[in-house]
């Protein structure tokens, strides 16, 4: 059942925070209802099952990432610029939406079929944009990777880790952090060129738009 009115963001926000902090299985219905300022009976009425709520959160976050990655893919044919933008997208999203991204990264195993199948399909479609950027760069002689799949997974893990430690009060701005990660990713693929500021700024604008954040 769809959530309605002002209840939806309140329930989603409470669930995202609790699932990120305590895990899906570690979060009880009673504490979820309390965090959302609802009775347990009302919570069931609005959200369906707890798994329905988890699957909805994960589908929403992955759809936003996939839409953004598709926009990046259509913005440039240059695989170097494309990969740099994808890195900036991933870093900025994990820095600005750490709870949602940690739920997506950690809780796929908590889903049963067919919800897991749909979430994995979205995740794989997102990662395919990274795979295409890497393979296009290798075909053009811009990138070198012994095993492109291993390289892709390593880069994604590197960027995802930002969700665990990033603070807006740190020494680096998020733009500078994204630029450093993009440079690391390109060097890992044997590319000495640096991503342009315009490339990374475009990625930041896309992140802000797909998440409804101030740009």
């Amino acid at each position: 059942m769809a959530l309605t009115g002002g209840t939806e963001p309140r329930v989603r926000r409470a669930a995202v925070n609790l699932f990120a902090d305590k895990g899906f299985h570690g979060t009880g219905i009673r504490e979820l209802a309390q965090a959302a300022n609802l009775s347990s009976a009302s919570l069931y009425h609005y959200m369906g099952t707890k798994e329905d709520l988890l699957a909805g959160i994960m589908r929403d976050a992955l759809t936003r990432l996939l839409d953004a990655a598709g926009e990046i893919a259509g913005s440039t044919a240059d695989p170097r610029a494309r990969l740099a933008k994808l890195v900036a997208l991933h870093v900025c999203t994990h820095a600005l939406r750490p709870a949602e991204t940690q739920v997506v990264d950690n809780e796929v195993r908590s889903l049963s079929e067919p919800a897991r199948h749909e979430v994995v399909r979205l995740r794989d479609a997102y990662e395919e944009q990274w795979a295409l950027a890497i393979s296009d760069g290798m075909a053009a002689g811009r990138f070198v990777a012994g095993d492109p799949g291993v390289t892709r997974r390593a880069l994604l893990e590197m960027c995802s880790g930002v969700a665990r430690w990033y603070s807006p009060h740190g020494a680096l701005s998020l733009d500078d952090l994204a630029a450093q990660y993009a440079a690391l990713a390109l060097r890992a693929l044997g590319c000495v060129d640096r991503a342009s500021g315009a490339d990374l700024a475009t990625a930041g604008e896309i992140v802000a738009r797909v998440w409804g954040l101030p740009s």
Side-chain angles (χ1 to χ4, degrees):
M1 179 177 295
L3 302 177
T4 59
T7 306
E8 177 175 4
R10 191 167 75 248
V11 172
R12 285 285 180 98
R13 186 164 53 248
V16 165
N17 290 334
L18 284 169
F19 292 163
D21 183 45
K22 305 185 72 173
F24 175 74
H25 292 298
T27 299
I29 288 293
R30 183 173 297 178
E31 65 181 326
L32 179 54
Q34 185 177 22
N37 196 28
L38 293 168
S39 69
S40 296
S42 295
L43 183 66
Y44 277 118
H45 172 74
Y46 282 111
M47 79 173 190
T49 68
K50 190 173 73 163
E51 185 180 10
D52 290 338
L53 185 56
L54 174 65
I57 290 166
M58 297 176 81
R59 285 194 304 269
D60 177 67
L62 284 166
T63 298
R64 291 174 191 265
L65 271 173
L66 182 56
D67 288 348
E71 188 172 342
I72 285 169
S75 69
T76 179
D78 176 10
R80 177 200 56 80
R82 211 183 329 152
L83 184 68
K85 289 182 181 182
L86 287 170
V87 168
L89 163 66
H90 207 79
V91 167
C92 291
T93 297
H94 279 69
L96 296 172
R97 311 298 296 197
E100 285 95 336
T101 53
Q102 286 187 71
V103 171
V104 169
D105 292 341
N106 297 332
E107 296 297 339
V108 173
R109 64 185 182 277
S110 299
L111 294 172
S112 58
E113 296 293 349
R116 181 186 299 173
H117 177 79
E118 176 63 12
V119 165
V120 170
R121 183 189 68 79
L122 290 168
R123 184 193 65 191
D124 289 350
Y126 171 67
E127 292 191 12
E128 180 64 13
Q129 294 292 347
W130 287 65
L132 287 171
I134 292 171
S135 63
D136 287 351
M138 293 177 68
R142 303 291 299 276
F143 296 159
V144 177
D147 186 318
V150 170
T151 302
R152 182 188 76 250
R153 293 183 185 94
L155 293 178
L156 283 162
E157 286 290 330
M158 177 182 77
C159 297
S160 295
V162 169
R164 295 189 291 272
W165 60 263
Y166 171 76
S167 168
H169 306 298
L172 287 177
S173 70
L174 186 52
D175 288 345
D176 289 338
L177 182 65
Q180 290 206 21
Y181 268 69
L184 285 169
L186 292 174
R187 285 202 298 272
L189 286 160
C191 181
V192 296
D193 297 335
R194 295 184 64 86
S196 73
D199 287 338
L200 302 181
T202 300
E205 291 164 6
I206 292 171
V207 170
R209 185 164 62 256
V210 299
W211 284 102
L213 303 171
S215 55

